[in-house]
Amino acid sequence: QIMDLSGGAAYSNIISINTPEVSSVVEVAPNPFHDVITVKLSLATQEKVSIRLLDSKGALVQTADFAGVRGLNLLTLKNLSTLPVSVYFVQIVLADQTFVRKAFNRR
């Protein structure tokens, strides 16, 4: 509401502001992992997703590509039980951003 000096009032137009949706990693589980890692990922748009598993020195251990859909995605890396016990890094690579999460494995 806008008031003028004579006490009159006027209202301005209401403008709605939409904030853009953003992609985010919801969860990397289980952690610690044994044979499988599942990445729960929320995508703002349909896009290609690459999941890379790196060892503690940054060497690529495994990679997988997925066709991600808008909304919630469950993406899985499998056959990890032969990896040595260590700290690993899960890279989630999108067209315009990369997420990194730390994961540990157990025997």
Side-chain angles (χ1 to χ4, degrees):
Q1 181 178 11
I2 301 170
M3 300 286 287
D4 64 19
L5 293 176
S6 64
Y11 293 91
S12 64
N13 293 332
I14 296 173
I15 301 172
S16 104
I17 299 173
N18 292 327
T19 56
E21 291 185 47
V22 294
S23 297
S24 62
V25 176
V26 177
E27 182 180 33
V28 173
N31 196 2
F33 67 91
H34 175 65
D35 188 49
V36 173
I37 293 176
T38 300
V39 175
K40 192 182 292 185
L41 177 67
S42 177
L43 292 177
T45 60
Q46 178 179 326
E47 64 181 296
K48 178 184 167 190
V49 180
S50 293
I51 307 278
R52 299 175 183 157
L53 185 64
L54 308 174
D55 68 14
S56 61
K57 296 177 184 172
L60 183 63
V61 174
Q62 186 174 345
T63 187
D65 293 325
F66 301 90
V69 298
R70 184 174 187 269
L72 192 61
N73 294 263
L74 297 176
L75 312 173
T76 304
L77 292 178
K78 298 177 182 179
N79 303 318
L80 306 175
S81 62
T82 59
L83 295 176
V85 173
S86 184
V87 175
Y88 292 87
F89 297 95
V90 180
Q91 277 188 341
I92 301 99
V93 182
L94 308 179
D96 61 348
Q97 58 187 326
T98 300
F99 302 97
V100 178
R101 297 293 183 268
K102 196 182 293 187
F104 304 89
N105 71 332
R106 62 179 171 77
R107 290 255 177 218

